[in-house]
Amino acid sequence: MSKMTVEVVTPERVVYSGEASMVIARGVQGDLGILPNHMPLVTPLKVAPVRIKTDGDQETKIAVSGGFMEVHGEKVTILAETAELPEDIDVDRAKRAKQRAEQRLNERQPDLDQRRAELALQRALARLDITNSL
């Protein structure tokens, strides 16, 4: 089976680097499935989990908060604002963040930054999704 190199990078560190048979990410136009030999592509990413399929049924999930994905040759590079592996996530903290964001969105205070509250909810949901705690 053909493989490609995948790197997930934030301003602070390389979160993931390895070989993969497929990458599934959520771009601003919808979900993308990237296989080896994919045509070159650069796309902005939404706040959502990225799934990296490796050997057989093995899969690595990473919570990504925005950024870009570049596909060039046999390499996929994700440049993310933040990216977290499941073992890096405090599930209780993510649940509390989800509750706070939902509460803010439901209360609709006049000084509410709607976009900021929506992004906070999306980040919390992505974190909980990759830890299977939704």
Side-chain angles (χ1 to χ4, degrees), residues 14-103:
V14 175
V15 176
Y16 178 90
S17 181
E19 297 290 311
S21 59
M22 184 175 194
V23 175
I24 301 165
R26 183 157 301 145
V28 294
Q29 298 294 320
D31 288 349
L32 298 160
I34 307 298
L35 296 169
N37 301 311
H38 194 282
M39 64 183 263
L41 168 78
V42 175
T43 186
L45 296 176
K46 285 192 153 192
V47 175
V50 169
R51 296 169 38 212
I52 302 169
K53 296 193 177 256
T54 54
D55 295 323
D57 290 338
Q58 298 292 330
E59 182 176 88
T60 299
K61 289 183 178 182
I62 303 172
V64 173
S65 296
F68 291 87
M69 178 170 63
E70 177 185 27
V71 179
H72 187 72
E74 291 300 310
K75 185 170 185 180
V76 175
T77 305
I78 295 176
L79 305 168
E81 295 169 25
T82 65
E84 298 169 284
L85 294 164
E87 58 268 20
D88 297 334
I89 294 173
D90 179 338
V91 174
D92 290 331
R93 183 173 177 227
K95 286 179 180 178
R96 288 191 307 271
K98 176 183 175 273
Q99 290 171 344
R100 279 192 311 274
E102 288 173 336
Q103 184 177 7

